[in-house]
């Protein structure tokens, strides 16, 4: 099965959902068990090795967004998030985008940027000497990773910039490193540290910080999709564009608008074991790249009057190394996605962010978001009260009419059916 548009996925039992996912992603018995175990994926012993002073582990809900078609391929998208409505919203956005062919997405190759701060040197002559020695610097950096070198990846370029600070000018040397399918923070830091004695020798200066930049502007992911005006309504298309203009021109709205985008991106990041703080930090800097913090997405109309959404931001992600390799649920989620490269994962994440943003601003520019939230909450309570799928709608409807949404009321109404 390769069609991700599964009707009424939310009404299915956990077993039915898992069966669908197992077939879709060809999961093994072992992978299925990993999802079925309710232990959050890692034992205390593992947690204790991952961080300091561990006292336990902490689980969050893992769900699946349906209907995603990205670059012609169907995806079921695992999302880890505590907030209700987000997975429903992503699935809804993907379903509408699908009508016009789904998302088109691209991601740059994974070039990581490492920075070395060089002090106490004559900057002009230091820059000249560094550039003359760039081959030697690159070779030294690459001697730290046989794996990347064998794949013809690794450090590729050395560049220099001068920054002016209140305490004087500084030379910043940057290494551009192709980290392949890894997020690459460790190898970037290792390479920066390994070349710094050489930089000191070349420049006669002193190196201070040697660290990856999380502003991963050489790892930009982009997605675009067309949303059918017949499905949305022409007035709503116009209102969504007005909602976008509000976000693009007012920082107070832009932060919330972009938060909605990150609801999608970070939920996939969590499910696949990415460094979500790195992604957030880069996205926020990118939103400010014009000098004003703006919307990360753009919403316009095409010549047929359909709504066109696009989203672009830096996404530093990996499918090898890091927690993606340690956490069995993260590994299984990568298997569910069926992505074979970091770039493909970035394409899925950027499309999820766009789907999320579409649903949020569509709801906001029509009925508001509370109604949908309440409906979902009522649905969850009706299910928790033990209602069968065919009974849920009646109970939900009644609770909404009465404006009394609680587990006790759901149970009472179920008794009355
Ligand atoms: C809530 O988590 C996200 C929204 O506030 C996003 C938005 O306002 O665009 C609904």
């Amino acid at each position: 099965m390769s069609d991700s548009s599964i009707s009424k996925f939310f009404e299915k039992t956990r077993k039915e959902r898992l069966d669908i996912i197992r077939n879709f992603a060809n999961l093994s018995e072992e992978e299925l068990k990993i999802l079925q175990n309710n232990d959050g994926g890692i034992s205390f012993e593992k947690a204790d090795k991952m961080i300091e002073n561990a006292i336990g582990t902490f689980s969050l809900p893992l769900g699946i967004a349906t209907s995603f078609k990205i670059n012609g391929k169907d995806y079921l998208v695992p999302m880890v998030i505590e907030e209700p409505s987000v997975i429903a919203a992503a699935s809804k956005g993907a379903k509408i985008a699908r009508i016009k062919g789904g998302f088109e997405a691209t991601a740059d190759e994974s070039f990581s940027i490492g920075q070395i701060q060089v002090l106490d040197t004559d900057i002009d002559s230091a820059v000249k000497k560094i550039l003359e020695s760039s081959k030697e610097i690159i070779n030294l950096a690459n001697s730290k990773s046989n794996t990347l070198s064998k794949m013809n990846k690794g450090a590729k370029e050395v560049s220099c910039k001068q920054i002016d600070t209140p305490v004087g000018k500084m030379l910043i040397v940057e290494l551009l490193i192709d980290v392949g399918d890894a997020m690459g923070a460790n190898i970037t830091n290792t390479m920066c540290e390994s070349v710094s004695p050489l930089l000191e020798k070349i420049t006669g200066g002193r190196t201070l910080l040697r660290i990856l930049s999380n502003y991963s502007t050489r790892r930009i992911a982009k997605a675009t999709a067309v949303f059918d005006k017949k499905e949305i309504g022409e007035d709503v298309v116009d209102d969504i564009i007005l909602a976008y203009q509000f976000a693009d021109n007012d920082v107070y709205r832009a932060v919330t608008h972009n938060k909605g985008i990150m609801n999608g991106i970070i939920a996939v990041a969590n499910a696949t074991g990415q460094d979500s703080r790195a992604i957030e930090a880069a996205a926020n800097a990118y939103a400010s790249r014009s000098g004003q913090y703006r919307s990360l997405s753009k919403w316009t109309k095409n010549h047929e009057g359909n709504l066109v959404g696009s989203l672009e931001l830096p996404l530093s992600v990996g499918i090898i190394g890091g927690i993606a390799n340690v956490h069995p649920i993260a590994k299984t989620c990568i298997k569910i996605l069926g992505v074979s490269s970091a770039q493909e994962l970035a394409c899925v994440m950027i499309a999820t962010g766009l789907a999320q943003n579409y649903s949020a601003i569509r709801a906001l520019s029509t009925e508001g978001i509370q109604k949908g939230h309440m409906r979902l909450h009522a649905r969850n309570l009706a299910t928790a009260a033990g209602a069968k799928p065919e009974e849920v709608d009646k109970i939900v409807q009644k609770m909404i009419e009465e404006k009394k949404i609680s587990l006790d009321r759901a149970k009472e109404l179920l008794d009355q059916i």
Side-chain angles (χ1 to χ4, degrees):
M1 185 182 69
S2 62
D3 188 342
S4 65
S5 54
I6 300 154
S7 129
K8 307 242 160 143
F9 191 68
F10 59 92
E11 281 183 359
K12 303 205 185 295
T13 62
R14 182 183 185 195
K15 181 173 179 318
E16 288 167 339
R17 291 176 193 160
L18 282 170
D19 280 345
I20 290 170
I21 289 154
R22 181 170 57 170
N23 289 338
F24 184 92
N26 217 357
L27 297 184
S28 66
E29 278 305 314
E30 202 189 320
E31 286 160 339
L32 192 66
K33 275 208 192 92
I34 288 168
L35 296 175
Q36 281 167 332
N37 282 344
N38 294 320
D39 63 359
I42 50 168
S43 61
F44 176 72
E45 287 64 37
K46 219 175 211 177
D48 205 23
K49 291 199 183 82
M50 284 166 80
I51 61 158
E52 310 71 42
N53 303 352
I55 58 164
T57 58
F58 182 114
S59 323
L60 286 171
L62 163 63
I64 297 286
T66 57
S67 298
F68 274 85
K69 192 186 261 293
I70 305 162
N71 298 333
K73 178 173 165 186
D74 275 55
Y75 294 88
L76 287 176
V77 180
M79 299 175 80
V80 166
I81 189 151
E82 88 298 346
E83 187 176 328
S85 303
V86 168
I87 296 181
S91 307
K92 185 84 189 290
K95 192 173 170 187
I96 309 290
R98 214 181 157 84
I99 300 170
K100 294 275 177 200
F103 299 87
E104 275 174 28
T106 57
D108 291 346
E109 280 176 75
S110 304
F111 279 102
S112 158
I113 298 165
Q115 299 190 298
I116 302 132
Q117 181 186 20
V118 186
L119 305 166
D120 308 332
T121 185
D122 173 71
I123 294 182
D124 287 342
S125 71
V127 169
K128 199 166 166 278
K129 288 184 211 152
I130 289 168
L131 295 180
E132 278 164 9
S133 312
S134 57
K135 200 143 190 74
E136 192 187 349
I137 297 166
I138 288 171
N139 286 345
L140 178 58
N142 284 334
S143 69
K144 298 292 155 192
S145 173
N146 284 336
T147 325
L148 287 180
S149 300
K150 269 192 212 139
M151 293 189 300
N152 201 22
K153 297 188 181 295
K156 296 288 175 196
E157 256 176 65
V158 181
S159 60
C160 297
K161 69 183 184 194
Q162 176 181 300
I163 58 168
D164 292 324
T165 82
V167 293
K169 294 184 190 310
M170 288 173 195
L171 169 61
I172 309 299
V173 179
E174 292 184 342
L175 282 183
L176 189 66
I177 305 160
D178 183 348
V179 294
D181 286 320
M183 189 268 191
N186 271 331
I187 189 61
T188 303
N189 293 338
T190 301
M191 286 185 177
C192 288
E193 290 188 7
S194 75
V195 301
S196 88
L198 176 60
L199 289 175
E200 289 186 342
K201 198 173 123 206
I202 294 169
T203 62
R206 175 171 78 94
T207 58
L208 192 56
L209 302 198
R210 298 144 298 161
I211 185 76
L212 152 93
S213 168
N214 284 121
Y215 194 29
S216 43
T217 53
R218 297 294 301 262
R219 301 172 91 163
I220 301 290
K222 296 181 186 169
T224 170
V226 176
F227 296 80
D228 191 1
K229 68 174 181 208
K230 287 202 266 334
E231 189 61 34
I232 310 173
E234 292 194 30
D235 289 352
V236 178
V237 168
D238 290 336
D239 284 349
I240 289 176
I241 293 168
L242 293 173
Y244 150 67
Q245 286 296 344
F246 175 15
D248 205 39
N249 293 286
D250 177 70
V251 62
Y252 283 84
R253 174 60 204 145
V255 170
T256 319
H257 176 98
N258 290 342
K259 188 270 185 186
I261 292 170
M262 300 320 277
N263 275 348
I265 291 179
I266 297 301
V268 185
N270 288 340
T272 56
Q274 309 302 319
D275 180 343
S276 59
R277 289 85 59 211
I279 294 171
E280 292 271 10
N284 286 318
Y286 203 64
S288 308
R289 68 193 182 283
S290 66
Q292 185 186 329
Y293 186 97
R294 293 184 182 277
S295 165
L296 284 163
S297 60
K298 280 196 169 44
W299 293 93
T300 53
K301 259 198 297 198
N302 66 11
H303 60 279
E304 289 162 338
N306 292 313
L307 180 69
V308 182
S310 60
L311 176 63
E312 161 179 339
L313 51 92
L315 272 179
S316 167
V317 297
I319 59 166
I320 57 168
I323 188 184
N325 272 24
V326 178
H327 200 297
I329 298 189
K331 263 193 196 166
T332 310
C333 287
I334 290 172
K335 171 94 183 270
I336 293 172
L337 276 174
V339 291
S340 55
S341 66
Q343 285 166 280
E344 191 180 352
L345 175 59
C347 287
V348 172
M349 289 170 70
I350 196 83
T352 311
L354 185 58
Q356 199 68 47
N357 186 220
Y358 163 80
S359 291
I361 53 175
R362 181 182 176 175
L364 287 168
S365 46
T366 53
E367 61 180 19
I369 56 162
Q370 285 313 89
K371 205 165 161 197
H373 272 300
M374 284 304 141
R375 187 165 288 281
L376 276 177
H377 183 49
R379 179 171 287 283
N380 289 342
L381 292 175
T383 310
K388 298 199 188 82
E390 61 276 17
E391 295 164 335
V392 168
D393 277 347
K394 259 193 200 158
I395 296 173
V396 168
Q397 198 50 39
K398 192 82 188 136
M399 286 200 289
I400 285 176
E401 271 165 31
E402 296 174 348
K403 295 201 170 70
K404 247 196 231 162
I405 300 175
S406 72
L407 185 59
D408 285 347
R409 186 64 189 139
K411 282 182 183 157
E412 281 167 19
L413 290 166
L414 182 62
D415 286 343
Q416 290 164 21
I417 285 180

